[in-house]
């Protein structure tokens, strides 16, 4: 991750590097926690959870034995993160996010083209604010029934900093 986009402390980052299988579970918990916060309308709170998920996805780009899965995971996580940043109305640099993704994908061989991996991110960065709202509503709709059936949205990822 580039400076300014680090969400985890060195201890938790190293844990994810050393234990990629457990990192995959931690990524899922972080993402689900963020989605739960989005369903509750707490967009600013979800930035930390999504940031943790993004940092773990970045680590897994290198450490996951399934490169294609790791690339899709990273691309989707970064895309959701971009939507959440826009929804939270926190300042961010769209060009820096795009450069971050391009830099991550440039470091490795691809099962898919970089353009395909970046397509959804670019859409998230250039769409209208109304489209951001529509995306959030779709995410809420998709997640709410799952989150009501499970206590996963209560998983705390705040221990990562």
């Amino acid at each position: 991750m580039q400076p300014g986009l680090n969400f985890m402390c060195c201890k938790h980052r190293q844990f994810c590097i050393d234990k990629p299988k457990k990192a995959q579970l931690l990524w899922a918990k972080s993402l689900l926690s963020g989605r739960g916060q989005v369903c509750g309308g707490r967009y600013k709170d979800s930035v930390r959870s999504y940031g943790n998920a993004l940092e773990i996805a970045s680590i897994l780009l290198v450490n996951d034995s399934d490169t294609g899965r790791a690339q899709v995971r990273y691309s989707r996580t970064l895309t959701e993160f971009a939507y959440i940043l826009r929804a939270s109305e926190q300042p961010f640099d769209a060009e820096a996010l795009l450069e971050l993704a391009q830099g991550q994908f440039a470091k490795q061989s691809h099962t898919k083209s970089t353009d395909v991996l970046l397509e959804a991110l670019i859409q998230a960065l250039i769409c209208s604010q109304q489209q951001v709202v529509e995306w959030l509503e779709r995410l809420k709709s998709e997640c709410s029934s799952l989150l009501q059936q499970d206590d996963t949205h209560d998983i705390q990822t705040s221990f990562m900093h």
Side-chain angles (χ1 to χ4, degrees):
M1 303 289 292
Q2 70 186 40
L5 288 179
N6 292 330
F7 287 86
M8 296 189 306
C9 68
C10 293
K11 176 182 153 188
H12 290 108
R13 191 174 301 112
Q14 191 61 49
F15 173 85
C16 291
I17 292 168
D18 294 341
K19 301 182 185 319
K21 292 281 187 205
K22 290 186 179 184
Q24 289 176 28
L25 293 173
L26 193 54
W27 166 81
K29 288 179 180 180
S30 297
L31 191 69
L32 289 174
S33 177
R35 287 177 177 174
Q37 291 162 331
V38 167
C39 284
R42 299 184 326 271
Y43 305 123
K44 288 183 181 180
D45 294 339
S46 70
V47 169
R48 176 182 292 261
S49 296
Y50 272 97
N52 287 328
L54 179 59
E55 190 163 356
I56 295 166
S58 177
I59 291 166
L60 290 171
L61 268 174
V62 177
N63 294 337
D64 191 335
S65 58
D66 186 333
T67 303
R69 174 181 61 199
Q71 291 169 349
V72 169
R73 177 191 303 117
Y74 180 79
S75 177
R76 288 183 178 170
T77 304
L78 185 56
T79 298
E80 286 192 35
F81 184 67
Y83 277 112
I84 298 309
L85 284 173
R86 293 196 58 196
S88 71
E89 299 178 353
Q90 292 188 16
F92 74 99
D93 185 346
E95 189 172 318
L97 279 181
L98 184 56
E99 288 174 6
L100 173 68
Q102 289 169 328
Q104 290 289 353
F105 291 136
K107 295 176 188 177
Q108 55 190 256
S109 60
H110 304 287
T111 56
K112 297 181 182 229
S113 77
T114 302
D115 290 344
V116 169
L117 292 167
L118 296 175
E119 186 177 321
L121 172 62
I122 292 168
Q123 180 59 36
L125 295 173
I126 64 170
C127 69
S128 70
Q129 199 61 29
Q130 178 59 35
Q131 289 170 309
V132 170
V133 170
E134 291 168 4
W135 181 89
L136 289 167
E137 291 305 316
R138 282 192 308 273
L139 180 67
K140 288 178 185 179
S141 174
E142 291 170 8
C143 294
S144 64
S145 64
L146 291 174
L147 292 172
Q148 288 173 358
Q149 296 171 9
D150 192 336
D151 290 335
T152 311
H153 66 285
D154 292 331
I155 294 171
Q156 296 297 316
T157 55
S158 60
F159 64 88
M160 294 188 286
H161 40 268

